[in-house]
Amino acid sequence: MEHKELAQDLTGPDLKVVASAPYVYHCHHFNLFHDQTVEDALGSEESFRVRSRAARRSAWPMLSAATVATGASTPVERLQLASAIFSWMGHGNLELLANATGGEVRGDHLHYGFTWREKYGDRVRRRFPVDAFGSGFAAAATEVAFGLPPGSLNPSEDSCFACRDNSCNISLAPGDGSEEIDAVDRKVVEAEVGTPGHGKEESRIAEITRGLNGFLEGITGDERGLVQGFGIYVTRHLSGYYDHTAYESIHLIERQAPQAVQAVEELFGESGHVCVFYTFGNLLLSPEWEGMVGKVKGDVEEVVSACVAIARGLGFGHWTIEELAPGQRLVLRSTSNYEFPFYRKTYGKSDKPRCYFFANAARAMMQLAHRVDWPSQPTLNEELYQSLFKQGLQWRIEETSCCAKGDDHCEVVVSKAD
Amino acid sequence: MPRDASGAGASLSPLRLDSSCCRNLNWRCDLDAEVDAERFESALAAGGYALRCRHPALRVLRRGGHEVAWVLSTGRLQVRVGIFVDPEAREAVARSLHAELAAWAVAAAEAPPKEGVRGADTDKGGQSRTT
């Protein structure tokens, strides 16, 4: 079996898996924002540790399953498989040169380092390496290749393109092999998600989703390990990485600085704004969308239903429009997303809603639907983002039910702010 | 019509910046209705562009890390400069690619018309194929 065949769409709940590990499409704007939020919450060193640990915890089970599925039996075959999957994911190229006792890993066009320098490099001097995901993935890949338990190798990034070094170099040193991983894989996710619902505009949304899925299936990484679709550079990223880093950060702040919890939760939620603006927005303006669906006219119902279809196509779950009153209110529901299954399996039932991305993405959809002049084909840049989301955001949100709390569906109500 | 300073001719509009996820990556121009789609597509192939996606209303082609996305029904073209190009050099690369496309567009418009002029691709019953 080829590594590309490891990817599957779970069409009912609109989720995606690779070698049984859930994955989603996210662009670098979201990825950098998310990781920066972890760094702001925990500090550079602790955040790198949490992020690389999250990378190992999500990659190790995936790579183990991949080696079984493809029949990769020698360390060389397994390392090559891991590198191929990493590039297919759009994370760049990893040259895995380590062995069972550790060693060096060379990274080229690593997603985080490369895009950090692209986005911020001319304005900000970064001093701390940024490729925690690549580092943790490299550790997991080497552990799986040599049949080692997780935690046997500890990664550190010694040089990073984001820090204006010429290349990214990662070292793997011996660890104690005591990392226990309770994988949140396809089986877990399918047990947690509910029956997909039907909402408004369902047939239009379903048709667009089918088209998107067909298009995305054929997209491959280029020779640099970068993935481009709809004119956007994206990653096929393990959703367990996002979940682990977000929830670990929030729980740590809950324990150590509870007065700061709301601020951190809002920041993780803001990542939903970033994703919808940059990824959904650019997708809607793309030639592919124009060809497959038609030019966006800008009606509120059109934009919101289009966004719901995009969410499904990108593997965010089966979101449905329960209610939409332009200018007033949106009620979005889901029985599947990439947040609550992880939370339920890893932490048990929550005492409060935990779908930060889902809830804030809903708010961002309403902002895009009401405040963007789509027929003028605007440029979705930082200036427009600031004016839409930092100056007079006109919507408030409430996650009125959440599967992380034990409810049978997640629901977010977006309503006009006073 | 003589070429203007932007390098466009009668068959392809001047280049202008399009929305993109990174600075100066995507650029827009529009094919004139007189351009024969089949000839233009052949020119792209002969020029080294490989098809990434074939859809009744859409083509996406790639060469050397750069892409051209083409909406057949409207003539919209998006020139996508590879992200590996230095941001300061992207506009120049886009204009160079555009100049080449403009030459092919002119040739495809000047050639004698073939049957089945530009518009929706009638094959495959509406299915898209990506490669």
Side-chain angles (χ1 to χ4, degrees), chain A residues 27-29 109 114-115 118 122 211 214-224 226-233 278 282 285-292 295 377-381, chain B residues 17-23 25-26 28 52-53 55 57-58 60 62 64-67 69-78 80-85 87-88 90 128-131:
Chain A
C27 76
H28 71 283
H29 294 285
H109 289 93
F114 186 78
T115 59
E118 163 77 29
D122 60 347
F215 189 88
L216 290 169
E217 193 184 308
I219 288 176
T220 54
D222 64 15
E223 62 276 12
R224 296 171 184 83
L226 304 175
V227 171
Q228 183 177 189
F230 299 90
I232 309 163
Y233 281 89
Y278 284 106
N282 276 300
L285 292 170
S286 69
E288 284 87 341
W289 188 272
E290 188 172 319
M292 293 194 321
K295 218 185 259 190
Q377 300 263 300
T379 298
L380 302 180
N381 53 21
Chain B
L17 192 59
D18 212 348
S19 190
S20 50
C21 67
C22 300
R23 187 161 48 118
L25 278 187
N26 296 342
R28 179 182 177 140
R52 273 195 82 208
C53 165
H55 179 277
L58 182 69
V60 181
R62 174 182 279 175
H66 311 301
E67 283 195 353
W70 173 19
V71 186
L72 291 155
S73 54
T74 62
R76 177 186 175 188
L77 287 185
Q78 188 176 76
R80 298 170 173 165
V81 177
I83 196 171
F84 52 88
V85 175
E88 304 308 323
R90 286 173 189 167
S128 66
R129 286 187 292 118
T130 50
T131 55

